[in-house]
Amino acid sequence: EAGVAQSPRYKIIEKRQSVAFWCNPISGHATLYWYQQILGQGPKLLIQFQNNGVVDDSQLPKDRFSAERLKGVDSTLKIQPAKLEDSAVYLCASSWLRTGNEQFFGPGTRLTVL
Amino acid sequence: AQSVTQPDIHITVSEGASLELRCNYSYGATPYLFWYVQSPGQGLQLLLKYFSGDTLVQGIKGFEAEFKRSQSSFNLRKPSVHWSDAAEYFCAVQLGAGSYQLTFGKGTKLSVIP
């Protein structure tokens, strides 16, 4: 079974530029999550999709972050414009639609904003 | 609001020694509890989880964890550490039925001395 795929693995941009991350979840997983992991901290949920609908985006900075999951499969997370404090690893995870089910994580995208 | 505390930021043990990583949570009811491991440049991998029943849970790679309701703790243990166990370990909670969001602790980095 293929795991969660993410690209790119690394990205360096200047502040005020825009950037996009892509995630392909495990086949059949209805639920998809984007987490932000700042150095020295645990992952923090940004947004959760169930199929192609948003379940929870309460911690997403909506003035600059956006995410979509077209057709309930792949997802894209965008930052526009980026700030220095957005430097972090962005993790995508997916799971079956059931509480307590394991969330499978991708390798993440490490973003550096200069 | 629920919170997860991992009081040890960094632990160093000798190979072959025993290991215990601490985790405490703050929540009115017993949440679902998880331990994840993150190796450098990798996504998070589930080690074990607790929902109910036997308070001693066995996981992968020889790890186990014990849930203690009276102490609101879910400590991770391993009787004999291997050099390959060097990684960062995250405790996480999920509120329970109907909730999918994971709240992570800040992590404990484990170093292993050969």
Side-chain angles (χ1 to χ4, degrees):
Chain A
E1 178 182 76
V4 176
Q6 290 187 249
S7 67
R9 292 295 309 276
Y10 305 91
K11 191 73 176 180
I12 300 174
I13 61 173
E14 301 279 338
K15 61 182 178 183
R16 291 187 289 274
Q17 286 186 322
S18 63
V19 64
F21 313 128
W22 174 82
C23 173
N24 181 241
I26 292 173
S27 177
H29 281 188
T31 310
L32 184 147
Y33 315 78
W34 282 102
Y35 288 87
Q36 180 192 57
Q37 185 178 18
I38 294 173
L39 185 64
Q41 297 185 19
K44 181 186 81 171
L45 180 70
L46 292 176
I47 189 168
Q48 175 187 336
F49 290 94
Q50 183 172 308
N51 296 309
N52 60 350
V54 175
V55 174
D56 183 354
D57 64 356
S58 58
Q59 299 189 89
L60 186 74
K62 298 179 185 66
D63 57 334
R64 298 183 299 106
F65 286 65
S66 65
E68 61 181 9
R69 189 182 185 197
L70 299 176
K71 300 181 181 178
V73 183
D74 293 7
S75 178
T76 302
L77 176 70
K78 297 180 181 178
I79 307 175
Q80 181 179 6
K83 292 184 175 181
L84 296 177
E85 58 261 36
D86 298 332
S87 294
V89 175
Y90 291 85
L91 295 164
C92 180
S94 68
S95 72
W96 296 106
L97 184 61
R98 198 168 70 193
T99 301
N101 266 355
E102 176 180 355
Q103 292 185 21
F104 293 82
F105 285 81
T109 296
R110 181 177 296 277
L111 173 67
T112 302
V113 182
L114 303 175
Chain B
Q2 62 176 355
S3 66
V4 181
T5 302
Q6 294 181 248
D8 303 304
I9 297 174
H10 190 184
I11 285 181
T12 301
V13 300
S14 298
E15 191 169 17
S18 63
L19 171 70
E20 182 170 31
L21 303 181
R22 297 181 290 167
C23 173
N24 292 92
Y25 64 90
S26 173
Y27 183 62
T30 299
Y32 294 176
L33 298 158
F34 304 78
W35 274 100
Y36 281 84
V37 61
Q38 186 177 35
S39 298
Q42 303 295 316
L44 285 80
Q45 181 184 22
L46 181 69
L47 287 175
L48 46 77
K49 59 186 179 182
Y50 173 77
F51 295 163
S52 64
D54 192 347
T55 56
L56 186 62
V57 180
Q58 301 298 319
I60 63 170
K61 304 185 180 185
F63 286 92
E64 66 179 26
E66 185 173 13
F67 168 64
K68 292 185 177 179
R69 185 188 306 274
S70 61
Q71 299 177 18
S72 296
S73 69
F74 188 56
N75 294 349
L76 182 70
R77 301 195 296 243
K78 187 170 185 178
S80 178
V81 170
H82 188 262
W83 63 267
S84 60
D85 293 324
E88 190 145 24
Y89 292 79
F90 293 93
C91 181
V93 303
Q94 193 177 63
L95 282 179
S99 172
Y100 306 98
Q101 180 177 346
L102 284 174
T103 299
F104 286 86
K106 291 188 175 183
T108 297
K109 182 177 180 180
L110 173 66
S111 297
V112 181
I113 301 172

